Each structure stands twice: as C-alpha cells, then as structure tokens.
Amino acid sequence: MKIHVLTLFPEIPRAFFENSIMAKAVERGLIDCTLINIRDFAFDRHKSCDDSTYGGGAGMLMLPEPLSAALEAAGVVPKKTDADAAPGIPRRKKRVVFPTPSGKPFSQRYAYELSREEELVFVCGRYEGIDQRIIDLYVDDEISIGDYVASSGELAAAVIIDAVYRLIPGVISSESLEEESFSDGLLEYPQYTRPEIFRGVKVPEVLLSGHHEKIRQWRLRKRVEKTLRVRPDLVEESLKNGVYREETVALIEEMKNGFN
C-alpha cells in the first residue's frame, strides 16, 4: 500500500513512519510512505497557507490553492474530472481521507475497508479546517476519530493510519489479529506475563494449566464479561447483526441473567 500524507508539519508524521512496526513494514516494502509539505505549494514568499473565512468568524482556514496543488502532486485528480474521464483513461486509484471531527465515525470495520485500498492520501487540517471546495472536489472520506476536537490533523491521520496498516497482510501475524478487540464484536481478554506472582497477585491458574480448550473457554468468558461491562452498546449491536457464534450468545445470556 502507498500512503501519502499532506501536512504543514511533516516532522510530526515522520516520527511515526520512522519507528516501531511501521518502520519495519516500510523496510520490507509492505508500505510506501510519502510526506508532502503543503507549504512547498504556497504562492507567496511567506509560504502562506491560511486566510480568514468569508462571512466572518474566529480562526483561519487553510487556503484551497496550495492544497489542490499538493493533492495533484500526489497524483490525485478532481472527482469531476475522474467521473468524466474518456474511455481508456485510468480511473482514480487513490482514496483521499480528511480527518475531521465532523466526519463519519472511525471503527475497526472502517479500518478493514481502507486496508484494501492500493493508495491512501491523507489531508491533515489545521486551524479551522480546510476550504469546502477541496472537500467537494478531492475528498472521498471525512473521518472522525472521536467526539472531540484536536488541533492536529496529523495526530488524527496517524491514528487512522496505525489502525489500517497493521491489517495489511504480512505486517503482523494473522493470529494476533484474530482475537483483538472488535475483531468479532468483543473486546480483548486480559493477558499476563512473567513473573507468575506480582505484588501478591497470581496469574489465573487456568493459564498455567496447559489445557488449551479450558484456556480458550476462559478467554471467551472474559471477553464477554468485559464487553458487557464496558461496551454494552457493542454487544447489542452485534446481537442485532448476528455477529456472535452460538457459544458466545449463550454466555451473554448467562451473564445478563447473573447481572439481573
């Protein structure tokens, strides 16, 4: 997968791309990352990328001209140009994402969807955001990482990228993904490592037993227990959509009755 990040502060996402699992994925050729400094496409000698908004109001808005030039440098064409492309001209393969508090809520399901794309282009907003014409002409997805406002579009983009790239085959083991939170409508079970006893608290005996089926059952019970306690909304949604296996549904009903 190719990932392009358009930003006024490339040093912020650069640290993310150059460390940990992401750096290894880049080294192995699983991910190709490009940072594009929007200021490089500003028209004046001050490298201005923002201005006041029409109609008044507090704050500054990112200018459309540098952004459009940066997007087109990343190989993105306006949507109307793509829609009207003549036969034989390749269609857009780049999906443009704009992280914004007013976007569609991000989720694990959304991350899986994005992970199947060939190329993702992230537009990192600042100040009061970006000119609506950039959104209308270029952006495919407006995504919110939560019901709050952050000043850095770079951090929001990094959150989305981190959730997406790890789902690309070969980045991490498929076994690690299978029992993660949200993978099947449940949160993850508690995990333990050495020492066996820490400050008087012992690792649950079942995990020391070597009995794989009992360990599986314990982990499933703990996942159901935690999801019911922390995210009852996720349980109700998954029950409604038929996500759970019969064994999980039986555990949910058992625990619900116990709560009552």
Side-chain angles (χ1 to χ4, degrees), residues 98-121:
F98 174 47
T100 170
S102 61
K104 181 179 178 181
F106 190 53
S107 65
Q108 188 70 7
R109 184 178 300 175
Y110 210 152
Y112 273 109
E113 179 185 331
L114 293 177
S115 72
R116 294 194 291 268
E117 296 291 332
E118 293 181 22
E119 290 190 54
L120 294 175
V121 180

PDB file of all heavy atoms in Angstrom, residues 98-121:
ATOM      1  N   PHE A  98      -9.848  12.816   4.746  1.00  0.00           N
ATOM      2  CA  PHE A  98      -9.690  14.050   5.519  1.00  0.00           C
ATOM      3  C   PHE A  98     -10.172  13.796   6.944  1.00  0.00           C
ATOM      4  O   PHE A  98     -11.364  13.667   7.190  1.00  0.00           O
ATOM      5  CB  PHE A  98     -10.498  15.178   4.884  1.00  0.00           C
ATOM      6  CG  PHE A  98     -10.521  16.454   5.694  1.00  0.00           C
ATOM      7  CD1 PHE A  98      -9.361  16.987   6.236  1.00  0.00           C
ATOM      8  CD2 PHE A  98     -11.720  17.119   5.912  1.00  0.00           C
ATOM      9  CE1 PHE A  98      -9.388  18.151   6.987  1.00  0.00           C
ATOM     10  CE2 PHE A  98     -11.762  18.293   6.656  1.00  0.00           C
ATOM     11  CZ  PHE A  98     -10.594  18.811   7.198  1.00  0.00           C
ATOM     12  N   PRO A  99      -9.248  13.667   7.916  1.00  0.00           N
ATOM     13  CA  PRO A  99      -9.670  13.500   9.316  1.00  0.00           C
ATOM     14  C   PRO A  99     -10.287  14.808   9.825  1.00  0.00           C
ATOM     15  O   PRO A  99      -9.669  15.872   9.740  1.00  0.00           O
ATOM     16  CB  PRO A  99      -8.359  13.191  10.047  1.00  0.00           C
ATOM     17  CG  PRO A  99      -7.398  12.774   8.974  1.00  0.00           C
ATOM     18  CD  PRO A  99      -7.788  13.568   7.769  1.00  0.00           C
ATOM     19  N   THR A 100     -11.497  14.721  10.369  1.00  0.00           N
ATOM     20  CA  THR A 100     -12.210  15.908  10.851  1.00  0.00           C
ATOM     21  C   THR A 100     -13.232  15.502  11.900  1.00  0.00           C
ATOM     22  O   THR A 100     -13.847  14.436  11.780  1.00  0.00           O
ATOM     23  CB  THR A 100     -12.928  16.623   9.685  1.00  0.00           C
ATOM     24  OG1 THR A 100     -13.806  17.629  10.207  1.00  0.00           O
ATOM     25  CG2 THR A 100     -13.741  15.659   8.833  1.00  0.00           C
ATOM     26  N   PRO A 101     -13.435  16.331  12.940  1.00  0.00           N
ATOM     27  CA  PRO A 101     -14.428  15.997  13.964  1.00  0.00           C
ATOM     28  C   PRO A 101     -15.847  15.870  13.396  1.00  0.00           C
ATOM     29  O   PRO A 101     -16.695  15.210  14.004  1.00  0.00           O
ATOM     30  CB  PRO A 101     -14.341  17.182  14.942  1.00  0.00           C
ATOM     31  CG  PRO A 101     -12.977  17.740  14.736  1.00  0.00           C
ATOM     32  CD  PRO A 101     -12.681  17.554  13.286  1.00  0.00           C
ATOM     33  N   SER A 102     -16.099  16.469  12.235  1.00  0.00           N
ATOM     34  CA  SER A 102     -17.442  16.410  11.654  1.00  0.00           C
ATOM     35  C   SER A 102     -17.606  15.256  10.671  1.00  0.00           C
ATOM     36  O   SER A 102     -18.581  15.197   9.922  1.00  0.00           O
ATOM     37  CB  SER A 102     -17.767  17.731  10.943  1.00  0.00           C
ATOM     38  OG  SER A 102     -16.852  17.980   9.887  1.00  0.00           O
ATOM     39  N   GLY A 103     -16.650  14.309  10.671  1.00  0.00           N
ATOM     40  CA  GLY A 103     -16.708  13.199   9.735  1.00  0.00           C
ATOM     41  C   GLY A 103     -17.455  11.994  10.263  1.00  0.00           C
ATOM     42  O   GLY A 103     -18.029  11.993  11.354  1.00  0.00           O
ATOM     43  N   LYS A 104     -17.426  10.930   9.471  1.00  0.00           N
ATOM     44  CA  LYS A 104     -18.048   9.665   9.834  1.00  0.00           C
ATOM     45  C   LYS A 104     -17.198   8.979  10.903  1.00  0.00           C
ATOM     46  O   LYS A 104     -15.976   8.960  10.808  1.00  0.00           O
ATOM     47  CB  LYS A 104     -18.140   8.776   8.586  1.00  0.00           C
ATOM     48  CG  LYS A 104     -18.803   7.425   8.813  1.00  0.00           C
ATOM     49  CD  LYS A 104     -18.855   6.648   7.503  1.00  0.00           C
ATOM     50  CE  LYS A 104     -19.479   5.270   7.714  1.00  0.00           C
ATOM     51  NZ  LYS A 104     -19.510   4.497   6.437  1.00  0.00           N
ATOM     52  N   PRO A 105     -17.821   8.400  11.927  1.00  0.00           N
ATOM     53  CA  PRO A 105     -17.045   7.766  13.000  1.00  0.00           C
ATOM     54  C   PRO A 105     -16.145   6.643  12.486  1.00  0.00           C
ATOM     55  O   PRO A 105     -16.566   5.811  11.681  1.00  0.00           O
ATOM     56  CB  PRO A 105     -18.123   7.215  13.941  1.00  0.00           C
ATOM     57  CG  PRO A 105     -19.333   8.040  13.664  1.00  0.00           C
ATOM     58  CD  PRO A 105     -19.274   8.367  12.205  1.00  0.00           C
ATOM     59  N   PHE A 106     -14.906   6.649  12.953  1.00  0.00           N
ATOM     60  CA  PHE A 106     -13.947   5.613  12.576  1.00  0.00           C
ATOM     61  C   PHE A 106     -14.205   4.365  13.411  1.00  0.00           C
ATOM     62  O   PHE A 106     -14.626   4.449  14.570  1.00  0.00           O
ATOM     63  CB  PHE A 106     -12.526   6.120  12.805  1.00  0.00           C
ATOM     64  CG  PHE A 106     -11.459   5.240  12.224  1.00  0.00           C
ATOM     65  CD1 PHE A 106     -11.504   4.855  10.895  1.00  0.00           C
ATOM     66  CD2 PHE A 106     -10.396   4.812  13.005  1.00  0.00           C
ATOM     67  CE1 PHE A 106     -10.508   4.054  10.347  1.00  0.00           C
ATOM     68  CE2 PHE A 106      -9.392   4.013  12.471  1.00  0.00           C
ATOM     69  CZ  PHE A 106      -9.458   3.639  11.137  1.00  0.00           C
ATOM     70  N   SER A 107     -13.955   3.212  12.821  1.00  0.00           N
ATOM     71  CA  SER A 107     -14.185   1.940  13.509  1.00  0.00           C
ATOM     72  C   SER A 107     -13.235   0.890  12.948  1.00  0.00           C
ATOM     73  O   SER A 107     -12.577   1.108  11.925  1.00  0.00           O
ATOM     74  CB  SER A 107     -15.630   1.475  13.301  1.00  0.00           C
ATOM     75  OG  SER A 107     -15.861   1.191  11.916  1.00  0.00           O
ATOM     76  N   GLN A 108     -13.187  -0.266  13.599  1.00  0.00           N
ATOM     77  CA  GLN A 108     -12.352  -1.352  13.099  1.00  0.00           C
ATOM     78  C   GLN A 108     -12.831  -1.809  11.726  1.00  0.00           C
ATOM     79  O   GLN A 108     -12.021  -2.124  10.850  1.00  0.00           O
ATOM     80  CB  GLN A 108     -12.369  -2.520  14.085  1.00  0.00           C
ATOM     81  CG  GLN A 108     -11.380  -3.623  13.771  1.00  0.00           C
ATOM     82  CD  GLN A 108      -9.933  -3.212  14.003  1.00  0.00           C
ATOM     83  OE1 GLN A 108      -9.660  -2.142  14.528  1.00  0.00           O
ATOM     84  NE2 GLN A 108      -8.995  -4.055  13.613  1.00  0.00           N
ATOM     85  N   ARG A 109     -14.129  -1.819  11.525  1.00  0.00           N
ATOM     86  CA  ARG A 109     -14.685  -2.201  10.226  1.00  0.00           C
ATOM     87  C   ARG A 109     -14.230  -1.228   9.138  1.00  0.00           C
ATOM     88  O   ARG A 109     -13.881  -1.625   8.021  1.00  0.00           O
ATOM     89  CB  ARG A 109     -16.211  -2.241  10.304  1.00  0.00           C
ATOM     90  CG  ARG A 109     -16.881  -2.725   9.027  1.00  0.00           C
ATOM     91  CD  ARG A 109     -18.378  -2.789   9.217  1.00  0.00           C
ATOM     92  NE  ARG A 109     -18.742  -3.705  10.289  1.00  0.00           N
ATOM     93  CZ  ARG A 109     -19.985  -3.881  10.729  1.00  0.00           C
ATOM     94  NH1 ARG A 109     -20.981  -3.178  10.206  1.00  0.00           N
ATOM     95  NH2 ARG A 109     -20.248  -4.739  11.698  1.00  0.00           N
ATOM     96  N   TYR A 110     -14.228   0.046   9.476  1.00  0.00           N
ATOM     97  CA  TYR A 110     -13.778   1.081   8.532  1.00  0.00           C
ATOM     98  C   TYR A 110     -12.292   0.885   8.217  1.00  0.00           C
ATOM     99  O   TYR A 110     -11.849   1.024   7.074  1.00  0.00           O
ATOM    100  CB  TYR A 110     -14.008   2.457   9.157  1.00  0.00           C
ATOM    101  CG  TYR A 110     -14.296   3.581   8.187  1.00  0.00           C
ATOM    102  CD1 TYR A 110     -15.064   4.673   8.582  1.00  0.00           C
ATOM    103  CD2 TYR A 110     -13.796   3.577   6.893  1.00  0.00           C
ATOM    104  CE1 TYR A 110     -15.339   5.719   7.708  1.00  0.00           C
ATOM    105  CE2 TYR A 110     -14.061   4.618   6.008  1.00  0.00           C
ATOM    106  CZ  TYR A 110     -14.831   5.682   6.429  1.00  0.00           C
ATOM    107  OH  TYR A 110     -15.095   6.711   5.561  1.00  0.00           O
ATOM    108  N   ALA A 111     -11.512   0.534   9.253  1.00  0.00           N
ATOM    109  CA  ALA A 111     -10.082   0.295   9.062  1.00  0.00           C
ATOM    110  C   ALA A 111      -9.854  -0.856   8.088  1.00  0.00           C
ATOM    111  O   ALA A 111      -8.973  -0.788   7.209  1.00  0.00           O
ATOM    112  CB  ALA A 111      -9.410   0.001  10.399  1.00  0.00           C
ATOM    113  N   TYR A 112     -10.630  -1.938   8.219  1.00  0.00           N
ATOM    114  CA  TYR A 112     -10.509  -3.069   7.297  1.00  0.00           C
ATOM    115  C   TYR A 112     -10.819  -2.629   5.869  1.00  0.00           C
ATOM    116  O   TYR A 112     -10.144  -3.034   4.915  1.00  0.00           O
ATOM    117  CB  TYR A 112     -11.459  -4.187   7.708  1.00  0.00           C
ATOM    118  CG  TYR A 112     -10.875  -5.143   8.724  1.00  0.00           C
ATOM    119  CD1 TYR A 112     -11.330  -5.161  10.034  1.00  0.00           C
ATOM    120  CD2 TYR A 112      -9.864  -6.034   8.369  1.00  0.00           C
ATOM    121  CE1 TYR A 112     -10.794  -6.033  10.974  1.00  0.00           C
ATOM    122  CE2 TYR A 112      -9.323  -6.918   9.295  1.00  0.00           C
ATOM    123  CZ  TYR A 112      -9.790  -6.909  10.595  1.00  0.00           C
ATOM    124  OH  TYR A 112      -9.246  -7.769  11.516  1.00  0.00           O
ATOM    125  N   GLU A 113     -11.838  -1.807   5.726  1.00  0.00           N
ATOM    126  CA  GLU A 113     -12.208  -1.326   4.390  1.00  0.00           C
ATOM    127  C   GLU A 113     -11.069  -0.536   3.754  1.00  0.00           C
ATOM    128  O   GLU A 113     -10.700  -0.752   2.593  1.00  0.00           O
ATOM    129  CB  GLU A 113     -13.463  -0.450   4.490  1.00  0.00           C
ATOM    130  CG  GLU A 113     -13.923   0.122   3.164  1.00  0.00           C
ATOM    131  CD  GLU A 113     -15.089   1.088   3.314  1.00  0.00           C
ATOM    132  OE1 GLU A 113     -15.886   0.922   4.275  1.00  0.00           O
ATOM    133  OE2 GLU A 113     -15.201   2.014   2.485  1.00  0.00           O
ATOM    134  N   LEU A 114     -10.483   0.370   4.514  1.00  0.00           N
ATOM    135  CA  LEU A 114      -9.388   1.191   3.988  1.00  0.00           C
ATOM    136  C   LEU A 114      -8.140   0.363   3.707  1.00  0.00           C
ATOM    137  O   LEU A 114      -7.366   0.687   2.800  1.00  0.00           O
ATOM    138  CB  LEU A 114      -9.055   2.317   4.963  1.00  0.00           C
ATOM    139  CG  LEU A 114     -10.133   3.390   5.164  1.00  0.00           C
ATOM    140  CD1 LEU A 114      -9.683   4.398   6.220  1.00  0.00           C
ATOM    141  CD2 LEU A 114     -10.458   4.106   3.857  1.00  0.00           C
ATOM    142  N   SER A 115      -7.933  -0.699   4.475  1.00  0.00           N
ATOM    143  CA  SER A 115      -6.727  -1.518   4.301  1.00  0.00           C
ATOM    144  C   SER A 115      -6.708  -2.255   2.970  1.00  0.00           C
ATOM    145  O   SER A 115      -5.665  -2.757   2.553  1.00  0.00           O
ATOM    146  CB  SER A 115      -6.592  -2.529   5.450  1.00  0.00           C
ATOM    147  OG  SER A 115      -7.560  -3.568   5.344  1.00  0.00           O
ATOM    148  N   ARG A 116      -7.836  -2.322   2.283  1.00  0.00           N
ATOM    149  CA  ARG A 116      -7.902  -2.998   0.987  1.00  0.00           C
ATOM    150  C   ARG A 116      -7.587  -2.063  -0.184  1.00  0.00           C
ATOM    151  O   ARG A 116      -7.561  -2.498  -1.341  1.00  0.00           O
ATOM    152  CB  ARG A 116      -9.284  -3.624   0.800  1.00  0.00           C
ATOM    153  CG  ARG A 116      -9.584  -4.757   1.787  1.00  0.00           C
ATOM    154  CD  ARG A 116     -10.792  -5.554   1.359  1.00  0.00           C
ATOM    155  NE  ARG A 116     -12.015  -4.774   1.479  1.00  0.00           N
ATOM    156  CZ  ARG A 116     -12.800  -4.763   2.548  1.00  0.00           C
ATOM    157  NH1 ARG A 116     -12.463  -5.480   3.603  1.00  0.00           N
ATOM    158  NH2 ARG A 116     -13.903  -4.050   2.578  1.00  0.00           N
ATOM    159  N   GLU A 117      -7.357  -0.788   0.114  1.00  0.00           N
ATOM    160  CA  GLU A 117      -7.062   0.179  -0.945  1.00  0.00           C
ATOM    161  C   GLU A 117      -5.612   0.072  -1.406  1.00  0.00           C
ATOM    162  O   GLU A 117      -4.727  -0.326  -0.648  1.00  0.00           O
ATOM    163  CB  GLU A 117      -7.326   1.598  -0.441  1.00  0.00           C
ATOM    164  CG  GLU A 117      -8.780   1.877  -0.098  1.00  0.00           C
ATOM    165  CD  GLU A 117      -9.677   1.905  -1.312  1.00  0.00           C
ATOM    166  OE1 GLU A 117      -9.186   2.230  -2.413  1.00  0.00           O
ATOM    167  OE2 GLU A 117     -10.874   1.583  -1.174  1.00  0.00           O
ATOM    168  N   GLU A 118      -5.360   0.444  -2.673  1.00  0.00           N
ATOM    169  CA  GLU A 118      -4.000   0.466  -3.200  1.00  0.00           C
ATOM    170  C   GLU A 118      -3.231   1.681  -2.682  1.00  0.00           C
ATOM    171  O   GLU A 118      -2.050   1.599  -2.361  1.00  0.00           O
ATOM    172  CB  GLU A 118      -4.021   0.509  -4.735  1.00  0.00           C
ATOM    173  CG  GLU A 118      -4.558  -0.751  -5.388  1.00  0.00           C
ATOM    174  CD  GLU A 118      -4.534  -0.637  -6.909  1.00  0.00           C
ATOM    175  OE1 GLU A 118      -3.751   0.178  -7.429  1.00  0.00           O
ATOM    176  OE2 GLU A 118      -5.296  -1.359  -7.565  1.00  0.00           O
ATOM    177  N   GLU A 119      -3.911   2.830  -2.639  1.00  0.00           N
ATOM    178  CA  GLU A 119      -3.266   4.062  -2.187  1.00  0.00           C
ATOM    179  C   GLU A 119      -4.245   4.881  -1.351  1.00  0.00           C
ATOM    180  O   GLU A 119      -5.423   5.002  -1.691  1.00  0.00           O
ATOM    181  CB  GLU A 119      -2.798   4.914  -3.374  1.00  0.00           C
ATOM    182  CG  GLU A 119      -1.631   4.334  -4.140  1.00  0.00           C
ATOM    183  CD  GLU A 119      -1.044   5.318  -5.140  1.00  0.00           C
ATOM    184  OE1 GLU A 119      -0.691   6.448  -4.727  1.00  0.00           O
ATOM    185  OE2 GLU A 119      -0.958   4.962  -6.326  1.00  0.00           O
ATOM    186  N   LEU A 120      -3.712   5.455  -0.268  1.00  0.00           N
ATOM    187  CA  LEU A 120      -4.486   6.366   0.576  1.00  0.00           C
ATOM    188  C   LEU A 120      -3.757   7.698   0.647  1.00  0.00           C
ATOM    189  O   LEU A 120      -2.538   7.741   0.808  1.00  0.00           O
ATOM    190  CB  LEU A 120      -4.647   5.794   1.986  1.00  0.00           C
ATOM    191  CG  LEU A 120      -5.482   4.515   2.131  1.00  0.00           C
ATOM    192  CD1 LEU A 120      -5.425   4.014   3.575  1.00  0.00           C
ATOM    193  CD2 LEU A 120      -6.929   4.757   1.716  1.00  0.00           C
ATOM    194  N   VAL A 121      -4.510   8.766   0.524  1.00  0.00           N
ATOM    195  CA  VAL A 121      -3.953  10.118   0.630  1.00  0.00           C
ATOM    196  C   VAL A 121      -4.647  10.813   1.793  1.00  0.00           C
ATOM    197  O   VAL A 121      -5.876  10.931   1.807  1.00  0.00           O
ATOM    198  CB  VAL A 121      -4.175  10.917  -0.670  1.00  0.00           C
ATOM    199  CG1 VAL A 121      -3.584  12.318  -0.527  1.00  0.00           C
ATOM    200  CG2 VAL A 121      -3.556  10.188  -1.860  1.00  0.00           C
TER     201      VAL A 121
END
